[in-house]
Amino acid sequence: GRARPSHSEPRGRDGRGGEEEEEEGWHQLYPGHIPTSPLQKALLAAGSAVMALYDPYRHDMVAVLGETTGCLALPNLRDKMKNHPEGYHILQERPRIRLSTLDMARLRGLPDGSLGREYVRFLENNKVSPDTRMPPKFVDDEELAYVIQRYREVHDLMHTLLGMPTNMLGEVVVKWFEAVQTGLPMCVLGAAFGPVRLSTRKLQVLATELIPWAIRSGLNASCVLNVYYEQRWEQPVESLREELGILPPP
């Protein structure tokens, strides 16, 4: 729900004390939350969409677009998690994937082919960090804010499972998979307009092989937010792909 006025302060002896606090005492639903009206969300969505299309690597604009346009997709994802034993467990415990929560030395020591080892290999090869994922600001529900935070923090695990790098071609393929999986308008927009910067040769490979595979995998796979990845580091990537229903990469 929306942020509500705080009534924690006692009323004054004249019966009016706290009126100013009632009018101005809005509290944050979660750290960093910024309440916005539907009009403000629409303006933010339009501006962030333009900037994200101009520069797909503006992750801050992509994040704002995801939050301001996910009003239908996020509750649907939350419900999928609530109705799945592992997803429900994630919603209850609220794990975070950050350098402060990862035992990188342990993950590096896992066997080749395991989820943890391949995830760390992906981070190091592509010089990315889970700490770059922006916290939500404009989602007016604390639980839904966690859902989009979780989606952001497992994005690199989607790259790992799909075997895709972080170049524009790899990002477009992952966005097609995520668009089918999540229904987030931000993913749909990235999937549709991301290819405009690709060369003719890459577009041909994308259209004939990679996009059809990403769509089939997205439709075939169970919800990727229902996996407690932190408890699966030792599982082979091939085994997890098979469990989820992700088809072998072309």
Side-chain angles (χ1 to χ4, degrees):
R2 300 291 301 274
R4 290 182 286 274
S6 171
H7 300 289
S8 57
E9 291 295 325
R11 295 176 88 70
R13 295 190 182 187
D14 59 1
R16 296 175 24 226
E19 277 186 17
E20 187 174 342
E21 287 81 356
E22 281 191 25
E23 294 175 359
E24 300 180 0
W26 295 90
H27 65 85
Q28 292 180 316
L29 292 174
Y30 50 86
H33 172 241
I34 302 174
T36 47
S37 68
L39 176 59
Q40 289 172 320
K41 280 184 172 59
L43 293 173
L44 285 167
S48 60
V50 170
M51 290 303 300
L53 289 173
Y54 177 75
D55 182 2
Y57 290 102
R58 280 291 303 270
H59 299 299
D60 55 341
M61 293 294 98
V62 174
V64 171
L65 181 62
E67 293 175 33
T68 53
T69 61
C71 55
L72 297 179
L74 289 176
N76 183 49
L77 288 171
R78 187 263 317 277
D79 292 345
K80 286 184 178 180
M81 295 179 74
K82 282 190 170 182
N83 292 323
H84 185 277
E86 201 164 341
Y88 181 78
H89 194 194
I90 293 167
L91 282 178
Q92 294 300 303
E93 295 198 349
R94 306 286 181 91
R96 296 292 308 276
I97 299 178
R98 302 182 62 79
L99 290 178
S100 60
T101 65
L102 296 173
D103 186 343
M104 299 295 283
R106 173 177 171 268
L107 297 183
R108 288 190 190 95
L110 291 175
D112 288 342
S114 64
L115 178 65
R117 182 67 190 92
E118 297 309 316
Y119 173 61
V120 170
R121 195 190 311 277
F122 168 84
L123 295 178
E124 294 175 343
N125 287 349
N126 292 280
K127 297 179 174 58
V128 295
S129 166
D131 287 0
T132 59
R133 301 300 168 191
M134 293 185 62
K137 296 179 181 178
F138 303 109
V139 179
D140 294 330
D141 182 287
E142 187 269 340
E143 192 171 46
L144 297 182
Y146 175 75
V147 172
I148 199 166
Q149 182 75 56
R150 183 66 175 176
Y151 156 73
R152 290 172 183 168
E153 292 183 357
V154 304
H155 175 77
D156 289 335
L157 283 158
M158 295 305 97
H159 277 273
T160 305
L161 285 171
L162 297 173
M164 290 294 132
T166 57
N167 59 22
M168 185 57 67
L169 182 65
E171 288 291 352
V172 169
V173 174
V174 174
K175 277 292 176 283
W176 274 99
F177 176 84
E178 291 178 339
V180 174
Q181 273 274 307
T182 68
L184 285 165
M186 173 264 296
C187 295
V188 176
L189 191 69
F193 290 96
V196 298
R197 294 171 178 264
L198 297 176
S199 66
T200 302
R201 182 179 63 83
K202 289 182 178 179
L203 280 174
Q204 183 176 4
V205 173
L206 189 69
T208 59
E209 297 183 37
L210 295 176
I211 288 179
W213 165 72
I215 292 175
R216 288 198 306 271
S217 290
L219 292 172
N220 189 62
S222 55
C223 180
V224 293
L225 292 185
N226 286 335
V227 179
Y228 208 140
Y229 295 97
E230 296 88 336
Q231 299 178 356
R232 307 285 200 109
W233 294 131
E234 297 180 3
Q235 184 173 354
V237 169
E238 293 294 337
S239 169
L240 185 53
R241 281 180 186 154
E242 184 177 350
E243 177 186 333
L244 289 171
I246 296 174
L247 304 174

